[in-house]
Amino acid sequence: MAITMTKGQAGLTGNSAIAYAMKQINPDVCPAYPITPSTAVIEEFASYVADGAVTTELITVESEHSAMSACIGAAAAGARVMTATSSQGLALMWEMLYIASGMRLPIILTDVNRALSAPINIHCDHSDSMGARDSGWIQLYSETVQEAYDKLIQAVRIAEDETVQLPVMVCLDGFITSHAIENITLLSDEEVQGFVGEYNAKTTLLDIDHPVTMGAMSLPENYIDFKFQQSQAMARSKDAVLKVAGDFEKRFGRKYGLFEGYRLEDAEIAIVILNSAAGTTKVAVDELRKKGLKAGVLRPRLFRPFPVKELAEALKDKKAVAVLDRADSMNGFGGPVFNELRSALYDVPKRPKVVSRIYGLGGRDYKVKDAIAVFEELRTIADTGMVDTLQKYITI
Amino acid sequence: MATLKELSKQNELLTGGHRLCSGCGIPPIVRLVLRAAGGPVVATTATGCLEVGTTIYPYTAWRIPWIHSAFENAAATLSRIETAYRALTQKGKLPGGDKDIKFIAFGGDGGTYDIGLQALSGALERGHNFLYLCYDNGAYMNTGIQRSSATPFFSNTTTSPAGEVIPGKQEWRKDLTRIVAAHNIPYAAQASPHNWADLSRKAEKALRIQGPTFMNVMSPCPLGWYTKPEDSIKWAKLSVDTCYWPLYEIEDGILKITYKPKEKKPLEEWLKPQGRFKHLLKPENRNLLDKFQARVDLEWQRLLDLDGKRI
Ligand SMILES: Cc1ncc(C[n+]2csc(CCOP(=O)(O)OP(=O)(O)O)c2C)c(N)n1
């Protein structure tokens, strides 16, 4: 794929931008298996391989279970490893996701978000990555192509950070972001290489003089201690995310925090929402602000680890908040972001009313009017202090 | 075996109006096989073109009970439907009373040679009474032509592109029919839709025989092969006449070639019309073409040596 660039700018789809970032990172090994809507990432990367534009070993494995297993093998052997998948592919990797994080392997995975079967559906929702939310992977969510590109480059440094050593998943919305062309600013190959640096794994299976046993059996005397260390590393990784974002901003000028607030500071009511639908919600906010309604948006960028303190701080003086989840926990009590955010607000002295709204499953459109309707509901909740419906589906 | 006229009078169990591409090899294969069943059939299909193209809600092209569950598990799914059939028959709980139901799993080459191989192997070994039919179009076509382990040598796919330094897929295709036969199942065969009589006869036999049976069927794909839709059957025939795709069966361990071309055509004739092999026809890639031909010759000779023998 020849990318035409003018002054570092190029019109790229989310998938092309991810493939291009991978080309610039030039990882040692890339296991690949096709699935809509992430397939173009590995297709375009395969053409970089076939044209000799990268030195990466591409392994066209026979399933996603094998793709993640291959990531684990290669990372354990000391290689920098990346792959991409969606939906059923991530679901089939599930067993291996826990093994990757439990072994503290800094693998990078792009998840192009797509709904899960049954019924089979190829369009966007967040059920796939939300299903993997407790697998010990750091999860970064992106609204735009630019953000996905920048995040993938940052992900390498976060994963490999000495204090972290955990796999990272970069999520972007299937079709909406993966297939839409956006004009983005690309870094030069040298800038990317300079930023990610060279990877030298501390422990590798190929160090014959220092043999290690990986994946040992661990009994009740030790198992929980391993998990405790892993849990601490996950909690610590928040600092690494900020540190890497800080260095990124210093070098390239684009700033990324743990979340994005849009007209949030003086807002009385707010919608919390991940990825591309935040853009739609911002348009609704602008319209409502014109009418004097103090509406705002909070878009988490980091979901794992969950930035409890920062999100509570940002929402503590709001009157009413709706958390819009593009995934259902099927627990009769709202979506995954809702449950965690509501819990994060528990210790806030004058906590806002928080409601759950499930939207856009399987690619169902979420429109400005849908966001406005939620804001109208929030206005009533703020005015009356009463919640009529704690959780419900919208866009149906 | 039923005559063509008789077959044509039977109801289509896979109706028209589905969304598979024109020139796709899958629908004629499925229709011939369903007709060959000659009675009640329950089927499953692995994720892939056949599944997607026939069932976009609220429509279905299937006039038989049918289920799709996932990509990697068609054989596992079907084997348990068949088990439930036996269990419920024994208890006299089959809706509408006892019936002789046939069970068929359909899967593409990706769903069979690659991701579904474990489930297939398990179901064959356990000895369920079903037919597994693989339609082999030589790539993951539904997701846009990615290489599978069935993809022909040097083929240009989106994950094995013919690039500046690597000329397409570097590996010879997996010989799945042989792998399946190594499970010592009662019947395994290769077929092609251009030879409907051979295909129908094999399907009838596979469905009549007790125990697990397997058919691997060549399935032209105009989209992935870069060929004209109206020529599909022609290129299916040529895959057989060049001996790239030999027609044979293995029944109770005895291998029999069911069609020997009078004149074995040069492989180039089959490759030439297909865009996926365009790069092979460049003069500088002559050595690759020769390598491909030599391998086809070797495999064909191996088969000839086994013809009529217990393998
Ligand atoms: C676990 C899993 N991985 C990947 C996919 C995506 N996927 C759906 S169909 C398909 C290709 C199917 O290829 P094949 O079996 O050769 O059948 P064809 O498309 O050619 O009909 C793929 C990769 C999936 N649905 N599930």
Side-chain angles (χ1 to χ4, degrees), chain A residues 32-36 39 42-44 46-53 58 60-65 88 92 114 117-118 120, chain B residues 47 51-52 68-72 110 114-116 140 142-147 158-166 171:
Chain A
Y33 198 77
I35 182 156
T36 307
T39 310
I42 56 146
E43 288 179 337
E44 290 184 26
S47 58
Y48 292 133
V49 174
D51 288 342
L58 180 79
T60 47
V61 286
E62 70 286 349
S63 77
E64 290 87 356
H65 193 278
Q88 303 307 115
L92 191 57
R114 162 183 155 182
S117 300
I120 188 170
Chain B
T47 315
E51 166 262 326
V52 169
H68 159 251
S69 134
F71 189 21
E72 65 280 2
D114 290 350
I115 201 165
Y140 297 100
N142 185 55
T143 35
I145 327 166
Q146 294 84 31
R147 64 89 85 184
T158 54
T159 51
S160 65
E164 280 161 31
V165 296
I166 307 176
E171 301 80 21

Side-chain angles (χ1 to χ4, degrees), chain A residues 79-101:
Chain A
R80 183 177 269 166
V81 194
M82 307 185 99
T83 188
T85 193
S86 297
S87 180
Q88 303 307 115
L90 190 67
L92 191 57
M93 285 181 181
W94 199 80
E95 180 193 13
M96 305 320 297
L97 294 177
Y98 281 74
I99 293 174
S101 62

